[in-house]
Amino acid sequence: MYKIVEKQQLSDIITKLVIEAPLIAKKRKAGNFVIIRVDENGERIPITIADSDPQKGTVTIIVQAVGKTTKLLCSLNKGDYVLDFVGPLGEPTPIHNYGTVVCIGGGVGTAEVYPIAKALKEAGNNVIGIVGARTKNLIILEDEMRAICNELYITTDDGSYGRKGFVSDQLQDLINSGIKIDAVYAIGPIPMMKVCANVTRPYKIKTYVSLNPIMVDGTGMCGGCRVTVGGKMKFACVDGPEFDAHEVDFDELIMRNRTYVDLEKISDELYEKHVCKLEGVK
Ligand SMILES: Cc1cc2nc3c(=O)[nH]c(=O)nc-3n(C[C@H](O)[C@H](O)[C@H](O)COP(=O)(O)OP(=O)(O)OC[C@H]3O[C@@H](n4cnc5c(N)ncnc54)[C@H](O)[C@@H]3O)c2cc1C
Ligand code: FES
């Protein structure tokens, strides 16, 4: 059992949880994730390690409530426990001194790009951050990103904060401005990562994305997280989750992630009904 020692609401649907897991806190590197099972009836879900404190033995995760399990996880409070918290999993991000690196986070993807941006900054890179979301109250980790980035740009789809438009528009502007960009890390919704890959492709700028296929065991056994990269089959949990963006078959990933949409909807509706019933009892 793993104790939640801190909870912070970052937006209506995004929650930060700090969880006691000393061994993971000691070993984890930028790019690693954990597989969580909230209780004995729960499914396993992968969540990126956003940060850790090896001294306190804690791991920070940032979760967007999109369906049954993430809603259940976000409903837990300080002092509650999760049953399983397995990690660190996945290949850590290779951290080099590239020169100038643009780190892009879309929505909750900012929680995933933040540890990478931090490690790249510590390795001596000039880090330019772009943080985007649909609207102002979904922008997360702005202060944290500002503290580690040499420059930070904010975009919102509706123009409620920062530049109106997409993170990829800001990326295109940076390229057009003529600055030399040595690498790009783009993490967020699949369409966002696909567009960022298309923006950098003509300029041959090395671009990395972190893929989010459905994962079950996280150890290369079940095949659930199969993706195609450079025409070859890869398992995102052990070969990734980061891959060369110019090689990824994004359309296949989108299609495979839709496999269980009907069941996910039913599961979410049942969970919402259950919560409503409990609230009625209070
Ligand atoms: C390596 C990795 C790191 C991730 N890091 C984060 C993170 O830091 N913060 C965060 O909020 N989310 C993260 N995700 C996404 C998160 O795992 C899904 O949002 C979560 O599993 C959804 O489960 P649900 O029951 O709440 O929603 P559901 O309604 O069951 O599913 C909603 C959508 O989430 C995806 N999904 C469902 N089940 C899984 C699963 N077992 N594995 C992966 N995707 C699934 C599918 O695309 C699905 O359509 C990450 C995913 C991966 C692969
Ligand atoms: S999650 Fe099972 S093989 Fe990757």
Side-chain angles (χ1 to χ4, degrees):
M1 300 281 273
Y2 297 82
K3 190 175 183 183
I4 297 169
V5 292
E6 198 185 314
K7 176 179 181 176
Q8 189 189 347
Q9 213 55 50
L10 301 187
S11 80
D12 292 353
I13 53 163
I14 303 179
T15 306
K16 172 174 149 183
L17 295 170
V18 181
I19 297 180
E20 258 175 13
L23 295 178
I24 300 177
K26 218 183 272 174
K27 275 196 75 181
R28 78 95 195 185
K29 294 202 169 82
N32 284 143
F33 63 94
V34 287
I35 295 253
I36 301 174
R37 198 159 64 113
V38 177
D39 58 35
E40 66 275 14
N41 299 317
E43 63 169 348
R44 296 168 170 81
I45 59 159
I47 298 289
T48 302
I49 300 173
D51 214 343
S52 68
D53 185 332
Q55 265 74 46
K56 289 186 183 156
T58 57
V59 167
T60 301
I61 55 168
I62 295 179
V63 186
Q64 179 162 357
V66 293
K68 185 201 162 180
T69 305
T70 45
K71 284 180 184 174
L72 183 62
L73 186 56
C74 292
S75 75
L76 298 180
N77 290 307
K78 186 176 166 183
D80 289 341
Y81 291 81
V82 293
L83 181 63
D84 296 327
F85 197 76
V86 178
L89 298 169
E91 278 292 309
T93 308
I95 300 296
H96 305 293
N97 190 338
Y98 295 97
T100 294
V101 187
V102 179
C103 290
I104 307 171
V108 77
T110 305
E112 300 174 50
V113 91
Y114 168 68
I116 296 170
K118 196 172 166 191
L120 287 167
K121 179 70 183 174
E122 282 162 9
N125 289 282
N126 175 44
V127 177
I128 301 177
I130 307 176
V131 168
R134 283 200 311 275
T135 190
K136 184 179 179 186
N137 65 6
L138 294 177
I139 294 285
I140 57 166
L141 302 181
E142 180 184 349
D143 292 346
E144 289 81 352
M145 283 292 281
R146 208 172 282 288
I148 55 165
C149 291
N150 298 77
E151 292 168 46
L152 182 72
Y153 298 90
I154 307 284
T155 69
T156 49
D157 300 3
D158 64 2
S160 52
Y161 190 46
R163 176 204 173 126
K164 184 175 191 308
F166 302 123
V167 288
S168 49
D169 300 330
Q170 187 61 52
L171 175 63
Q172 184 68 65
D173 280 2
L174 285 172
I175 295 171
N176 293 347
S177 75
I179 59 159
K180 184 172 173 292
I181 299 172
D182 300 289
V184 170
Y185 281 80
I187 309 184
I190 302 169
M192 180 213 104
M193 295 193 283
K194 184 180 170 183
V195 172
C196 288
N198 289 341
V199 167
T200 57
R201 187 175 283 111
Y203 307 94
K204 297 191 169 50
I205 300 170
K206 203 81 191 141
T207 301
Y208 301 93
V209 286
S210 182
L211 300 186
N212 53 348
I214 291 182
M215 292 188 180
V216 182
D217 63 314
T219 61
M221 303 287 282
C222 71
C225 66
R226 180 165 65 76
V227 290
T228 304
V229 183
K232 296 203 179 95
M233 187 180 83
K234 301 277 178 192
F235 289 164
C237 67
V238 286
D239 299 321
E242 270 153 41
F243 293 99
D244 180 337
H246 299 153
E247 300 280 328
V248 171
D249 185 340
F250 287 104
D251 296 333
E252 181 196 59
L253 176 60
I254 290 170
M255 198 185 68
R256 279 179 63 80
N257 270 11
R258 288 199 190 120
T259 310
Y260 303 108
V261 162
D262 293 344
L263 291 170
E264 286 159 1
K265 196 164 168 263
I266 294 169
S267 173
D268 188 35
E269 283 167 4
L270 287 172
Y271 176 74
E272 288 292 348
K273 265 191 202 152
H274 176 70
V275 170
C276 287
K277 243 193 218 163
L278 289 181
E279 281 173 354
V281 169
K282 270 185 209 165

